Amino acid sequence: MLLPIADLGHVRATAGRLIRRHWRALSVVLLLHLVAALCGLVAPRAVGILVDALTRGTATATGVNVFLAVVAGAVLAQAVLIRFAQRQSMVLGETVFARLREEFMAVVSRLPLSTVERAGTGDLLSRTTHDIESVARTVRFGVPRVLVASITSVLIFVAAIATHPLLGIAMFAGVPLLLLSTRWYLRRSGPAYQRQLASYARLSGSVSETVEGARTIDALSLAPAQREKIDAALSERLESERGTLRLRMVWFPSADFSFLLPVIVVIAWGAVLLDAGNATIGQITTVALYAMQLVAPVSELIMWMNEIQIGTTALSRIVGVEQVPADRQQSGRRPADEHVVVDDVRYAYRPGHDVLHGIGLDLEIGERVAIVGPSGSGKSTLGRLLAGIHGPSGGSVTVGGVPLLELPVDDLRRHVALVTQEHHVFVGTIAQNLRLAAPGASEAELEEALQVVGALEWVRAMPQGLATGVGSGGVVLTPAQAQQVALARLVLLDPHTLVLDEATSLLDPRAARDLESAMSRLLEGRTVVAIAHRLHTAHDADRVAVLQGGRIVELGPHDRLVAAGGEYASLWASWHSEESGHA
Ligand SMILES: Nc1ncnc2c1ncn2[C@@H]1O[C@H](COP(=O)(O)OP(=O)(O)OP(=O)(O)O)[C@@H](O)[C@H]1O
């Protein structure tokens, strides 16, 4: 499933909101361009007057000097005004774009994890990079240029009509062809550009998947299949680019012709009027110069219309991300205590296919519960629901009487946190990695957290201690160190309930043993739900929940369940005999 794409109404509403927010700055930009365009109209008019004076033989040396001064003054004024207008346009473009990008990043970081997982990284990656760049180009250059070109074109038309109304009308000669070809183009270009952008998303998805899964691809010799997939994505992209190119190849030449047409018609029609004594050579010269002056703004308009079309399509994909429904709704209620209760919980990844069927689990504050069961029985799913990552499809998971999904995410993590085998080290310093959990923590607090998980010594031994750069491009941490940093983050978060999923399984036995003491200090005084893949964890727990086919089939202390001789007893017996076999 790809992320939603906003319809034109929403895109227009977003554009309208941006214009309203910046209307003052936009008005200044428009005013500057308007005056600059007016200055640009002076020269053709002055040339026309001079031509007429020369034709009539009334031109004087002073007249020519005045003409030169006026033209030079107008050109200079136009150049200065354009400089300021462009500067203002760029500042405005950057301001608008910066806000847009910040808002988009805020939306992306709020996206429900389940949506990101389902949509895949390619689509989101291409929206946050390629589409944002496309919108940036439109906002920075496209919108100001289109506004300027529109104002200039209208003023040129008005000036031509004011010079000679009958001749001025000839300036419209290219309009029908321009309208027809543009309508033809716009009808087809929207879907064609959507296809093109979707093909970028698929290509970047295939490439990033190949890079991320390089080891698996290598190990299973999947390279040919992956190459085929990328080739298919490339062909799709090529085809979609060809599609839009075909459209441009029809539209551009007809547009080109339609704005050259007025120059030809003005001269031909001017000759007829001159013959009939209805126009002067000076007027024909002025209007013909205006017709030629029109070429630049109209061609700019044509070029940027195309860019704006691409930008609008990209904006619809960006606005679309805002339309992903939130998976949680804050109610403002505050948990009465630290009591976590799972009540009749159901969960389905796909509608109609429940993987949890009415789970009930009342966690006593400070107790340790181990969840055991065969692969696929729903242990990890239950863990994610307990940590408030997914919301249940039915029933509830509450802390202190408040459903987890009603809490703000920052708050939620201070109640329940999930510890998985994934310990991503973010690019930045060790301190920055830790402060993700507690942005305001002092260095002493960071060191205290590192001390709890037994990492203070090695962090202090690093070249710059807490300020050492880690992650991609920095010092490479060992898996055990990465895990210690993750645990220190949890110490800083200080949640009262922890859900452990395969917390130590990726480590070699020695590193796992080293971490066990760090772990046990972290767990002290907290409620713990451990998804137990090794049964000795279950043995040490206060209670064991046996999950089978998405249902809790047994629940109680280890000894009682073993004595009961049920499902857990046989799991325990087979695990025990395996263990003693290994010994
Ligand atoms: N992202 C997902 N989309 C669709 N189905 C999923 C997804 N994750 C898990 N499932 C399905 O949900 C069921 C429960 O999976 P879950 O991972 O919770 O089981 P588990 O007991 O933790 O298994 P294991 O011990 O192998 O990790 C399985 O049938 C699994 O195929």
Side-chain angles (χ1 to χ4, degrees):
M1 182 200 91
L2 291 184
L3 294 163
I5 292 171
D7 57 27
L8 205 57
H10 277 96
V11 176
R12 283 201 185 122
T14 305
R17 188 165 48 82
L18 289 177
I19 290 172
R20 278 194 298 282
R21 196 192 280 164
H22 300 280
W23 73 269
R24 261 173 214 275
L26 193 63
S27 310
V28 172
V29 169
L30 288 181
L31 192 70
L32 284 169
H33 279 300
L34 191 80
V35 183
L38 278 173
C39 291
L41 298 176
V42 172
R45 191 64 194 259
V47 171
I49 292 169
L50 182 69
V51 167
D52 276 347
L54 288 170
T55 323
R56 283 198 298 268
T58 54
T60 63
T62 323
V64 173
N65 283 342
V66 169
F67 159 81
L68 286 176
V70 167
V71 171
V75 169
L76 194 69
Q78 189 187 18
V80 172
L81 282 165
I82 284 182
R83 188 228 168 252
F84 282 106
Q86 282 188 341
R87 188 178 178 280
Q88 290 298 105
S89 306
M90 294 300 270
V91 170
L92 176 64
E94 291 300 327
T95 315
V96 173
F97 176 60
R99 281 282 290 272
L100 199 65
R101 183 161 220 163
E102 274 170 18
E103 284 172 8
F104 179 61
M105 288 321 290
V107 169
V108 169
S109 55
R110 273 200 309 268
L111 274 183
L113 190 62
S114 49
T115 308
V116 178
E117 279 177 355
R118 269 202 298 275
T121 48
D123 193 20
L124 197 56
L125 205 64
S126 116
R127 291 188 198 213
T128 44
T129 53
H130 187 273
D131 292 346
I132 277 278
E133 279 311 313
S134 196
V135 172
R137 195 171 140 73
T138 308
V139 172
R140 282 181 184 139
F141 309 111
V143 173
R145 298 261 171 93
V146 163
L147 287 175
V148 174
S150 311
I151 293 173
T152 314
S153 311
V154 170
L155 285 180
I156 291 173
F157 272 123
V158 172
I161 297 277
T163 307
H164 193 298
L166 263 181
L167 254 185
I169 287 173
M171 298 269 286
F172 292 94
V175 172
L177 178 61
L178 190 64
L179 286 183
L180 278 176
S181 62
T182 305
R183 210 170 81 125
W184 176 88
Y185 174 79
L186 290 181
R187 281 205 174 152
R188 288 159 179 79
S189 59
Y193 281 114
Q194 284 292 4
R195 251 196 322 277
Q196 187 172 310
L197 292 183
S199 77
Y200 290 173
R202 256 188 292 280
L203 182 60
S204 63
S206 306
V207 172
S208 67
E209 169 194 277
T210 309
V211 174
E212 280 164 19
R215 285 207 186 126
T216 316
I217 290 169
D218 199 29
L220 302 179
S221 306
L222 297 177
Q226 210 58 23
R227 214 174 293 132
E228 243 172 59
K229 203 167 160 184
I230 292 180
D231 278 349
L234 268 174
S235 308
E236 190 189 337
R237 174 161 174 183
L238 183 68
E239 210 28 66
S240 68
E241 296 245 17
R242 273 200 184 129
T244 55
L245 185 64
R246 269 195 289 271
L247 294 179
R248 291 195 296 275
M249 277 170 63
V250 173
W251 188 44
F252 281 4
S254 40
D256 267 351
F257 182 68
S258 64
F259 59 66
L260 276 176
L261 200 59
V263 184
I264 302 165
V265 176
V266 163
I267 293 172
W269 179 224
V272 174
L273 290 175
L274 183 70
D275 251 6
N278 282 334
T280 64
I281 296 184
Q283 287 168 330
I284 299 169
T285 310
T286 301
V287 178
L289 284 175
Y290 281 147
M292 285 173 70
Q293 224 176 32
L294 204 57
V295 173
V298 173
S299 54
E300 184 138 60
L301 216 51
I302 300 291
M303 190 188 101
W304 282 106
M305 285 280 281
N306 186 49
E307 288 288 334
I308 284 185
Q309 177 79 31
I310 301 173
T312 310
T313 311
L315 188 61
S316 70
R317 291 164 53 80
I318 288 169
V319 177
V321 178
E322 287 173 20
Q323 294 175 342
V324 174
D327 67 341
R328 54 198 73 217
Q329 198 90 44
Q330 293 171 24
S331 66
R333 288 165 64 198
R334 308 202 61 79
D337 54 28
E338 301 180 348
H339 190 181
V340 177
V341 180
V342 179
D343 185 27
D344 194 23
V345 154
R346 295 169 185 282
Y347 187 77
Y349 287 97
R350 285 177 296 134
H353 293 83
D354 279 4
V355 295
L356 298 180
H357 309 269
I359 302 267
L361 190 60
D362 189 335
L363 297 175
E364 276 171 38
I365 297 174
E367 81 164 330
R368 306 231 163 146
V369 174
I371 298 181
V372 301
S375 177
S377 56
K379 301 184 294 293
S380 297
T381 307
L382 178 59
R384 290 159 75 83
L385 289 170
L386 268 166
I389 290 171
H390 296 312
S393 322
S396 65
V397 184
T398 55
V399 56
V402 180
L404 295 185
L405 294 207
E406 284 185 20
L407 298 173
V409 176
D410 291 353
D411 226 20
L412 170 65
R413 292 289 157 256
R414 284 189 180 81
H415 291 284
V416 196
L418 179 71
V419 188
T420 65
Q421 53 184 317
E422 198 184 271
H423 298 297
H424 188 73
V425 178
F426 294 90
V427 176
T429 63
I430 295 181
Q432 282 167 341
N433 264 278
L434 294 174
R435 286 205 177 100
L436 288 172
S442 65
E443 279 211 1
E445 283 166 324
L446 301 186
E447 291 195 340
E448 210 179 295
L450 289 169
Q451 173 79 51
V452 171
V453 298
L456 188 57
E457 213 172 302
W458 65 257
V459 170
R460 280 200 172 146
M462 288 255 166
Q464 284 149 306
L466 274 171
T468 307
V470 289
S472 174
V475 172
V476 179
L477 299 185
T478 65
Q481 286 174 331
Q483 191 149 25
Q484 277 176 318
V485 171
L487 294 184
R489 263 203 297 263
L490 284 169
V491 173
L492 288 163
L493 261 182
D494 196 24
H496 55 72
T497 302
L498 280 173
V499 181
L500 312 181
D501 192 356
E502 297 188 308
T504 51
S505 67
L506 268 192
L507 302 174
D508 61 72
R510 209 184 77 89
R513 258 197 312 282
D514 284 351
L515 265 183
E516 232 146 67
S517 66
M519 194 62 129
S520 64
R521 291 179 66 182
L522 171 69
L523 302 188
E524 247 169 51
R526 303 182 206 270
T527 310
V528 177
V529 178
I531 294 167
H533 296 267
R534 291 167 309 164
L535 285 197
H536 80 84
T537 319
H539 175 261
D540 298 338
D542 298 317
R543 283 194 296 168
V544 179
V546 183
L547 211 58
Q548 220 172 31
R551 290 184 172 82
I552 291 184
V553 291
E554 285 173 20
L555 178 66
H558 167 85
D559 292 339
R560 214 184 69 206
L561 293 189
V562 171
E567 199 61 43
Y568 181 70
S570 55
L571 270 177
W572 177 254
S574 70
W575 182 75
H576 215 53
S577 63
E578 253 178 55
E579 284 294 292
S580 26
H582 288 313

